[in-house]
DNA sequence: ATGCTTTACGTCTAGCGTAATGATT
DNA sequence: AATCATTACGCTAGACGTAAAGCAT
């Protein structure tokens, strides 16, 4: 039994597909199929119950996969202790980040890490859609909002409320609303993160929480929403953290400043069970630094412009 | 990296020799040497520092070996949970036992286990010399007396004092001693277990502990000592546990019954760190049963013949 | 009908034994 | 001188890709 074969089994189990596992491992489906068959024969145990349409671990398969996972992790840990700083970082790291974060600041941080480590490769998945970390072999992800998947290990990076913003040009043409009720007269820029668009904003203000029903012609991802706001297309609700650059540069102005949506945490997420290798930790450190710096600027902005 | 390669590294480390490891693994020294070299190159780390005369793990090698050990054990555990009772026991088990125990009762127990499991092979090392469990790849050993090597895992089987015995024929010719002092007039059968012969008996009796200096013409291992006693060649000191058959059959008679040497424990010993596989546990169970049954007979004998 | 797993076959390389070489006590 | 690790070389078997076939939705 080889460690590569164990990782292969884990990939098949995580993705639930030999073909997808093959893609991720840079192998052909035939090779994966043959490997699984070979392993099962050597064990005398069926690891996966499969039709042409699905691949599921058997009861014994779960035992085997647990063992493989523990073993692969132990080996990675050993390798790092032994090779430590000697070996320069290499390999490929898959990072998932919301589009707006990726374009604004994660991208730059990632480039800096790659520049420092020539053998390191990165695939930055910029999408607001929630990636399944296990399924897609994502090594780390940045996620806004509450954590739900308990099989993931998350570390909170920072936490900020959503605020309403518009460009100065837009506000010249459309006087800023003075109460939440006046928002209906404005063009709201809304988000469609997953399949269904978000059609309401919950705003907390001096008079408690208010729910605003929206009828918005402009609906896109976080990056589009911010750019539409910059272009004066309407009022967007964004995390303060995402628009701090624009607020500092006065490209965007806060609207209804006494109202804000609930503080939402931003997490760095890892596929829990797996050991986090040094190459991933390098990106983690760099991105965390960027978040720290941005969070400081958010603090200062909040203090200066209450 | 393959699990077989990890086991190879462990064998080399335990034996301290590529040639010995090769023998135990049914490989040639060339293959072992090549494997070590190949592994070291793939790790980018030197695992063993070696001359033609010695093989020692480097600092990094210790880390690697620790990892390999944990991994091999985890995998064996996984295999057993998965294959459980399905697979019949197979493979070879190396058992070390003192000569007298091996010939008298361990041998029979071992045969019974092999009869029940046709694919199981056993090598019974019958020797009073202490085998190095790690070095010689012994799976389990029976050892009389106190445990010293703390790197081994031991389980106490039973505990009995040494007593003095002689055959009825001998006692007809030489009247039994009535006090320890009278022993000097008898022929004592002594042991040579390791390199130096044992030249004194420490006997505890009604008047406290007595040390008897011996000048014995007959000196051999535990099996020889018992047989010489049976043949009427003199008085031997044996663990009650070893001579219970002969006492019950009245082939041997206890001498100076109010005197006995310190109770000594008999342990079942395993190479601690390693996982104990099912095939070894099968022998453990069978041999433990034999010990239990013999210990009961010792109890009864002690009760009936104080 | 599409997309998945499986089978068949040719190719290549990793890993073994044999045998010779070099080093150490 | 004897023993051990290493190197060189030929060989075998395992593992991959290509291509085709078989199934399930």
């Amino acid at each position: 039994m080889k460690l590569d074969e164990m990782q292969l089994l884990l990939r098949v189990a995580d993705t639930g597909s030999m073909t997808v596992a093959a893609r991720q491992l840079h192998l052909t489906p035939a090779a994966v199929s043959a490997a699984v068959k070979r392993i099962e024969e050597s064990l005398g145990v069926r690891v996966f119950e499969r039709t042409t349409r699905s691949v599921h671990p058997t009861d014994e398969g779960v035992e085997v996969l647990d063992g493989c996972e523990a073993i692969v992790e132990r080996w990675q840990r050993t390798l790092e202790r032994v090779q430590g700083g000697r070996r320069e970082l290499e390999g490929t790291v898959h990072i998932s980040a919301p589009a707006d974060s990726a374009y604004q600041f994660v991208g730059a941080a990632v480039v800096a890490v790659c520049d420092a480590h020539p053998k390191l490769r990165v695939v930055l998945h910029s999408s607001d859609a929630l990636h399944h970390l296990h399924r897609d072999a994502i090594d780390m992800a940045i996620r806004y909002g509450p954590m739900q998947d308990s099989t993931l290990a998350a570390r909170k990076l920072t936490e900020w409320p959503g605020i309403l913003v518009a460009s100065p040009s837009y506000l010249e043409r459309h006087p800023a609303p003075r109460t939440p009720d006046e928002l209906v007269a404005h063009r709201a820029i809304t988000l469609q993160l997953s399949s269904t668009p978000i059609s309401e904003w919950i705003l907390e203000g001096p008079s408690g929480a208010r729910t605003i029903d929206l009828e918005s012609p402009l609906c896109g991802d976080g990056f589009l929403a911010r750019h539409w706001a910059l272009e004066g297309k309407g009022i967007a609700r964004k995390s303060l953290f995402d628009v701090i650059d624009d607020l500092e540069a006065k490209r965007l102005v806060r609207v209804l400043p006494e109202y804000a949506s609930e503080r939402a945490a931003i997490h760095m997420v890892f596929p829990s069970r797996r050991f986090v290798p040094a190459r991933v930790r390098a990106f983690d450190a760099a991105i965390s630094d960027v978040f720290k710096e941005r969070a400081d600027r958010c603090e200062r902005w909040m203090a200066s412009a209450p």
Side-chain angles (χ1 to χ4, degrees), chain A:
Chain A
M1 191 75 178
K2 295 195 291 192
L3 290 175
D4 290 347
E5 295 175 327
M6 295 190 183
Q7 285 175 319
L8 182 145
L9 290 184
L10 292 172
R11 262 339 29 241
V12 172
D14 283 346
T15 61
S17 155
M18 297 203 182
T19 305
V20 176
R23 254 199 301 278
Q24 295 182 358
L25 295 167
H26 305 290
L27 292 174
T28 60
V32 173
S33 174
V36 171
K37 185 183 176 187
R38 185 173 56 237
I39 293 165
E40 287 177 330
E41 277 171 1
S42 84
L43 292 179
V45 161
R46 194 158 185 79
V47 178
F48 294 111
E49 203 52 66
R50 43 198 185 276
T51 66
T52 48
R53 218 60 193 174
S54 73
V55 178
H56 287 119
T58 62
D59 289 350
E60 290 107 354
V62 172
E63 295 283 351
V64 172
L65 291 164
D66 283 350
C68 290
E69 197 174 318
I71 285 170
V72 167
E73 176 176 330
R74 184 69 170 84
W75 186 243
Q76 288 178 329
R77 197 162 256 133
T78 300
L79 280 187
E80 250 182 45
R81 293 187 67 165
V82 164
Q83 302 180 332
R86 210 196 330 267
R87 287 226 158 165
E88 61 178 326
L89 296 181
E90 59 185 350
T92 302
V93 177
H94 289 256
I95 303 174
S96 167
D100 201 10
S101 307
Y103 301 145
Q104 283 203 83
F105 47 91
V106 175
V110 158
V111 169
V113 174
C114 284
D115 285 346
H117 303 282
K119 287 190 173 178
L120 212 47
R121 299 279 173 274
V122 68
V123 179
L124 180 52
H125 303 252
S126 53
S127 156
D128 287 9
L130 294 179
H131 276 271
H132 291 213
L133 270 63
H134 290 121
R135 277 196 69 100
D136 304 336
I138 300 292
D139 295 299
M140 53 188 289
I142 295 163
R143 289 204 180 163
Y144 284 51
M147 290 301 307
Q148 30 206 8
D149 188 341
S150 64
T151 69
L152 304 175
R155 195 184 71 246
K156 188 161 86 175
L157 292 168
T158 187
E159 188 179 45
W160 295 102
I163 61 174
L164 303 184
V165 292
S167 72
S169 66
Y170 174 85
L171 293 175
E172 281 174 19
R173 288 176 278 125
H174 309 82
R178 308 182 70 91
T179 70
D181 292 321
E182 291 181 27
L183 277 172
V184 295
H186 286 265
R187 185 149 69 177
I189 301 169
T190 56
L191 298 175
Q192 170 148 4
L193 297 181
S194 50
S195 52
T196 54
I198 294 172
S199 62
E200 58 181 33
W201 289 346
I202 300 171
L203 297 178
E204 295 170 0
S207 53
R210 290 283 311 270
T211 300
I212 316 291
D213 284 319
L214 302 168
E215 197 178 344
S216 164
L218 294 177
C219 187
D221 67 16
F223 179 76
L224 274 174
R226 190 169 59 86
H227 267 259
W228 280 333
L230 285 169
E231 293 164 7
K233 299 287 194 290
I235 298 176
R237 188 194 61 171
K238 288 285 293 181
S239 170
L240 167 59
F241 192 80
D242 285 353
V243 291
I244 183 63
D245 287 350
D246 304 314
L247 290 170
E248 284 177 344
K250 309 218 187 291
R251 291 188 293 262
L252 288 178
V253 175
R254 183 168 182 183
V255 171
L256 284 173
E258 58 276 21
Y259 289 87
S261 63
E262 196 182 17
R263 291 174 69 90
I266 308 177
H267 287 98
M268 187 72 85
V269 188
F270 305 88
S272 71
R273 347 183 262 184
R274 229 184 303 288
F275 170 71
V276 179
R279 61 175 177 278
V280 176
R281 290 204 305 272
F283 287 102
D284 181 20
I287 295 174
S288 296
D289 283 348
V290 170
F291 268 76
K292 187 91 184 65
E293 183 267 339
R294 266 182 99 79
D296 287 345
R297 280 158 52 206
C298 289
E299 293 282 5
R300 283 198 293 276
W301 187 87
M302 287 285 271
S304 69

